[in-house]
Amino acid sequence: MMWGNGSYMAWGWPFGLLVVVGIVLLAIWAVRSVGGSVQHHDQRAATSRDEGAVQPSKARQILDERFAAGDLSADQYREQLKVLGIPSSGADGGDGKR
């Protein structure tokens, strides 16, 4: 049974459609937020593992830079590596002997 001239009926279905679209968009946003943060976390963890395997330590980088700049002799470079517990691996161009 309709009351009045039916004007509520004319505005009812567009409003209902907007509510349904809003709920769908909210659900999509919620799923992407939760799924995106998990995926982002996995990507950061994989990047951290890759960097740890490929990149030398910060101390080694500083020593390499100082050695390359001529601030350290080969003996000083090897000694600092030994103090830090970093294997020399012949990176200084020497034969690893003292």
Side-chain angles (χ1 to χ4, degrees), residues 67 74 77-78 88-97:
F67 181 69
Y77 177 77
R78 283 191 291 269
S88 177
S89 72
D92 60 351
D95 55 2
K97 297 180 186 172

Side-chain angles (χ1 to χ4, degrees), residues 8-70:
Y8 294 115
M9 194 66 141
W11 288 102
W13 72 269
F15 181 72
L17 182 64
L18 286 175
V19 169
V20 170
V21 169
I23 291 171
V24 169
L25 290 175
L26 184 64
I28 290 172
W29 173 79
V31 168
R32 290 182 114 188
S33 294
V34 172
S37 65
V38 170
Q39 182 182 25
H40 220 56
H41 176 70
D42 292 343
Q43 185 178 10
R44 276 184 280 156
T47 303
S48 297
R49 284 191 303 267
D50 293 343
E51 287 176 356
V54 176
Q55 298 289 330
S57 69
K58 184 71 173 169
R60 176 69 183 254
Q61 288 176 346
I62 292 170
L63 281 175
D64 289 346
E65 290 170 4
R66 289 186 63 201
F67 181 69

